[in-house]
């Protein structure tokens, strides 16, 4: 950590500050005197130093971290890829492209079982489906909730596909016993109390990037879960909010290679929410395969124009089948290049 | 609601769709045939129509709402300003500039009581102070939690100032009995399960705008609380995330007059979080007074450079005293213009 | 075009307005009376109607275009792909992936000729190289200017590669006689006087998307050039400005399929400027190939760490050779899927 | 300037680099060895060092400037406010609130003279009016151009108000002889060739911030003009592009106090373009006065609903008269606080 002081500080102020830093933290401090400012360099374990505390000192001009502020998620301290393996053998991470597919919302037993069977035939290895739905409007359909989870279990029983579904409140956790991968939605990425609780369970967590969150903040939220003891975190890029309005969000495709460089955790892409437009899903899925994402999470609905939510960004099982073939081809090619 | 259809649709498809709309919703539909597209105009109660459902129809090009999607928060249906009045007579809304001040975090009984007395002397009518702290890093100070709430109560007992403090999980609600105004932080603005629960209580809610949320989304989150039966919502503009990096966030000063036009709810401004820089707080507070905000929420710390969080954006009681005088002067002037 | 009027307008105001619209423009107007507002639908040639003029009427609530505001760039009126073909047979558009490569800046005859020969060997069909350089700081290297153009010509003479280089002022046009494709940089995307002049010449224009410009604005800038008579426009996605700071810009990969749907013009991607990081160029180039971009424009420098500008985002000829092989493989595969 | 090297660099690589830095630039280099990385601190005149050059070195992790990259615009080297004084005695800067008002576009002699007289009566000391108009669409009204400048001169002759008008191409400069303040529009803020030419003239330049430009980039563009010898630059905040769609742009009110801290140049605010909505102009103008902006530039049109452009963001002379009284009151009050 490098601390630039404001010009013309008294030596005793600097000395006192250095004294405080070395007594409070396990660091050594180097002082370097420039023409305009004095700069302090901190060596040691600086992750636990709160840079806001440093910036609050009235003689400090600015602070720059050299070490990343996350440890458990950091590839530097854990060079090998984390691979999430389910009891049924399904894997995310470590090469290959896992397909997670299913409807935005669970709507009925017929619907979820039909879609589950279809996406399984096309090569999906996980079933997604919303039981608790975060909706901007209180007047929109909020999901089938507990009954939706029950229907997901039924679809799992029939197809063997593990379930990925979103949790919106820690109070719902008892209902998630049969859920295989617990999803944290974009709007809850910094719901820190939820993250802390999910750190205590022993199921993989699929953590979606928030609409306006940086890559570093996504990693810090993963760190919350991991610091609690649950190291099975899957990161998900699902588009960020920008000024562009044609697409619902802007897929930050760079986030995939950036994340894979910074962390050992697997990274999946959600082209459905990223675009909000069903005809954009296939090209974005191909792009994700081309940058070696570890998986795709895609909304598939038997009848998108009658979906109870997000129909405009859902594709049919037949379209998913075509897409699955194409992304597998690109993924296989890219892994041989 | 106006629905533009894709070009060259068969008449029977259009007829079926119109039939479905009029049977499902309480609306009448006008059809208008253009050179390139057919347009449907829906008259009636369109708030409950899910525009995503409409957009998902494969023959629909785009949808435009004419009515706003919120009702209870809408000034059209409730022209008079909502005024939040506390049992002790403190008010937010309906003219005047309420001052809410106090430290980022409660740190000790001496600290919170000292600051409370100081800000009261300078004219603050509410005490803010964080007991549960949302922090990006799991390794940062997370607040004094239950003990923090107890110390806030002590400061309230001594000064008579009602307490404004943030809730991070509905499970903490039993601890908030003595809290007067419950704050929802920016990162929880779309934590819909929390909003629903806060709709059931009978205390004012101070709802902060999320970092990347639109003004309409803020109003929809207020609508969640109000739909539950709690109509005492105070909106808070606290800066949005943009590409600019000098300031922590970009204060959207326009949001104040825009909100006051769209809704009857009071609007307060948080210049501390908006800027992240203590020397910017005063000019931003003056700007908020100039646009007739209903209040200011400001971080005041007895010793900013030793604050356990957000010190860089805190001002001292002495600086707050100067600021309070200035914003009152501007507020008074503006109300006479 | 759909015009929503404010509630409660007098019939004569509406009648006068309709009268004005039909007399001034070649349109017919349908009137539709809702519960809250009256809506006007305009049929005919609405491209020439200035929506700002409509919005300025004090009885107008909002305006929505149904037709796109661009004609010559619009795929609806020109369904086949535009293919840019150079005298030497090099092509951009209509399938295939054109590679445009070369250094950020021309620095010397040896440098530009060496890089030109290398990228040609690796399969590039165009040479890029900056002679006039837009730099944020007046104290940074501004390019070799006229001499740089002369050296580009020399490299072209030796390799046969057509030249792509940026113009920063219409006054420099006489120097661009031997330039094959004239580039408009992101910062000049809305330099309308420059666009108008480039509409008068008969060379292909490579038009880069501005840092904060929408896809529609990019198409409107293309329309400026095309309206002047020059229909050879190549669009370039090069990253947009967002709140994320790890990458210099955020590559909007969705822009490629969106543009290819809206326009017949070819679309190329610049992964060098999009990321600002040399290790990100290859994955982003693969993503561009996967979404069927018509070309890539990539910075290649013989010695990136001594480049006079943008070295951090340049790759070596050897790295380019590897990249070229990979993107060709992905492009070929995708075209067969 | 602080340079963080990648871990595990050979000593000789570091030595060579330090040698190169000290021989090429007028700096001394301090080396400091941390646990993970080596850090170099550069003392001396680092403004002329191109940080991209440094970042391009393959052993460099990151670079942080301690000194700002601008000199002539920097308040550190020029503590007193720059005051722009016109021959007629009109001033911008150094206290007080200059009012610059007039129509978006010059449309006729009657129009511009009428508006000029009206805004003068209300206290404006400068007349604005567009002769050359930057328009997104080539099919929109492009301004009266040379004839527009002639009519501005006529209005100046009648009222004595100096003229502020936009230049879109350096080729038009000969027509600007009677123009008093030359405006550079937001879309040309980084048209560096234009800035260089404006550095050679001896008229004040009103430089608008680009839609997606940082405060530092605005200062670097001012530096371009000043480096050419023209130190009379007025900066203008006119709203930035964000994800919010209710307002046309988001006024960055913080930019005013931030700029006034970083630079000695005067700062004016354009609430008309910032909001795009006429009812928002007054509150935003009051906010600008409250943060001690040096001036306001406001669109005033005799008949906004018939304006040939930007009518929706224009106010009438009567509304301007009310606004002028209010902003003067706030400005006077703030200067006494």
């Amino acid at each position: 950590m490098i601390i630039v002081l404001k010009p013309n500080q008294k030596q005793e102020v600097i000395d006192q500050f250095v004294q405080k830093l070395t007594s409070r933290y396990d660091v050594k401090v180097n002082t370097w005197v420039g023409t305009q400012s004095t700069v302090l360099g901190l060596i040691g374990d600086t992750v636990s130093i709160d840079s806001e505390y440093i910036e609050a000192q009235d003689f400090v001009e600015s602070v720059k971290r050299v070490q990343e502020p996350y440890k458990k998620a950091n590839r530097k301290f854990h060079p090998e890829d984390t691979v999430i393996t389910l009891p049924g053998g399904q894997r995310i991470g470590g090469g290959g492209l896992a397909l997670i597919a299913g409807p935005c919302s669970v709507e009925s037993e017929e619907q979820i079982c039909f879609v589950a069977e279809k996406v399984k035939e096309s090569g999906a290895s996980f079933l997604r489906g919303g039981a608790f739905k975060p909706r901007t409007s209180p007047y929109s359909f909020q999901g089938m909730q507990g009954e939706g989870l029950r229907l997901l279990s039924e679809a799992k029983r029939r197809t063997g596909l593990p379930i990925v579904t979103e949790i919106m409140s820690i109070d719902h956790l008892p209902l998630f016993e049969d859920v295989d991968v617990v999803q944290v939605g974009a709007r809850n990425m910094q719901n820190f109390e939820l993250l802390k609780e999910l750190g205590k369970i022993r199921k993989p967590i699929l953590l979606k990037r928030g609409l306006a969150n940086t890559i570093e903040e996504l990693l810090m939220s993963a760190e919350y879960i991991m610091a609690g003891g649950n190291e099975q975190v899957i990161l998900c890029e699902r588009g960020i909010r920008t000024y562009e309005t044609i697409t619902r969000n802007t897929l930050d495709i760079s986030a995939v290679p950036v994340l894979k460089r910074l962390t050992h955790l697997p990274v999946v892409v959600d082209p459905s929410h990223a675009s909000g437009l069903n005809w954009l899903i296939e090209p974005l899925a191909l792009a994700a395969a081309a940058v070696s994402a570890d998986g795709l999470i895609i909304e598939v609905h038997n009848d998108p124009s009658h979906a109870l939510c997000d129909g405009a960004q859902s594709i049919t099982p037949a379209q998913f089948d075509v897409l699955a073939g194409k992304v597998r081809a690109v993924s296989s090619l890219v892994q041989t290049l």
Side-chain angles (χ1 to χ4, degrees), chain A:
Chain A
M1 179 174 279
I2 293 166
I3 303 170
V4 181
L5 304 186
K6 287 184 184 151
N8 309 318
Q9 296 304 319
K10 287 201 189 130
Q11 190 56 44
E12 64 181 83
V13 170
I14 299 175
D15 290 347
Q16 272 181 13
F17 183 53
V18 169
Q19 168 64 25
K20 201 186 304 177
L21 287 170
T22 51
S23 64
R24 187 183 289 200
Y25 304 107
D26 183 21
V27 292
K28 289 195 344 191
V29 178
N30 276 288
T31 306
W32 156 67
V33 181
T35 36
Q36 291 197 13
S37 352
T38 293
V39 175
L40 307 180
L42 276 60
I43 305 176
D45 179 20
T46 58
V47 171
S48 56
I49 302 182
D50 195 341
S51 55
E52 286 177 352
Y53 166 76
I54 306 295
E55 281 176 341
Q57 310 300 318
D58 52 15
F59 48 85
V60 169
E61 177 82 29
S62 66
V63 176
K64 179 181 169 64
R65 281 194 181 278
V66 178
Q67 278 185 295
E68 293 85 5
Y70 44 90
K71 282 191 259 197
K72 291 179 176 289
N74 198 330
R75 193 180 276 276
K76 281 191 190 150
F77 307 126
H78 186 310
E80 312 78 37
D81 283 354
T82 285
V83 182
I84 308 291
T85 309
L86 278 280
Q90 300 86 351
R91 291 158 44 106
I92 303 180
L97 183 72
L99 297 181
I100 307 166
C104 166
S105 291
V106 181
E107 294 172 15
S108 70
E109 185 169 325
E110 299 71 47
Q111 175 238 21
I112 189 67
C113 292
F114 174 79
V115 173
E117 276 156 14
K118 283 294 182 188
V119 299
K120 186 184 181 187
E121 284 170 25
S122 302
S125 50
F126 292 82
L127 175 65
R128 59 146 291 156
F132 293 90
K133 297 298 306 170
R135 306 301 302 277
T136 304
S137 168
Y139 309 120
S140 295
F141 174 60
Q142 307 275 319
M144 290 184 76
Q145 317 218 349
E147 174 66 4
L149 291 177
R150 202 189 60 73
L151 299 181
L152 282 167
S153 288
E154 178 58 25
K156 173 183 176 178
R157 200 187 56 74
R158 292 203 209 167
T159 59
L161 293 181
I163 300 167
V164 181
T165 196
E166 178 167 353
I167 194 164
M168 286 179 62
S169 167
I170 203 63
D171 296 341
H172 302 152
L173 195 56
L175 301 169
F176 278 63
E177 206 176 317
D178 195 37
V179 170
D180 300 277
V181 177
V182 179
Q183 178 179 318
V184 177
R187 287 170 181 74
N188 277 319
M189 193 201 91
Q190 292 192 317
N191 180 341
F192 301 117
E193 294 298 311
L194 180 62
L195 300 179
K196 283 181 199 171
E197 293 298 322
L198 296 176
K200 297 178 189 163
I201 68 172
R202 290 298 167 266
K203 290 183 179 189
I205 308 298
L206 191 149
L207 178 65
K208 290 196 154 188
R209 181 178 181 185
L211 275 75
N213 287 110
T214 62
I215 289 172
E216 187 170 295
E217 287 170 343
L218 174 59
L219 290 169
M220 292 307 289
S221 286
E223 190 83 9
Y224 255 98
I225 299 167
M226 299 172 87
N230 184 357
E231 305 211 344
Q232 297 199 288
V233 181
I234 303 156
L235 304 172
C236 180
E237 163 61 32
R238 44 78 71 209
I240 60 173
R241 189 161 266 186
T242 68
Y243 64 83
E244 178 59 65
T245 54
I246 291 187
T247 46
R248 181 185 281 194
N249 297 288
T250 298
L251 181 67
D252 181 5
I253 195 74
S254 311
V256 180
V258 168
L259 280 168
K260 292 182 81 72
R261 188 178 174 98
L262 297 176
T263 185
H264 50 89
L265 297 172
V267 181
V268 304
V269 170
D270 175 348
S272 308
H273 283 86
S275 65
L277 296 164
N278 53 20
W279 55 269
L280 257 183
I281 294 172
E282 187 182 293
L284 296 186
L286 291 170
V291 295
S292 301
D294 295 299
L296 288 167
I297 177 162
I298 291 180
E299 290 193 0
V300 178
H301 195 281
N302 48 317
D303 184 4
S305 68
H306 290 85
L308 293 178
C309 74
D310 281 349
Q313 69 190 37
S314 293
I315 55 176
T316 62
Q319 291 169 322
F320 178 70
D321 192 60
V322 172
L323 177 151
K326 292 186 180 180
V327 295
R328 264 197 306 268
V330 170
S331 178
S332 301
L333 171 65
V334 167
Q335 295 190 33
T336 65
L337 291 178

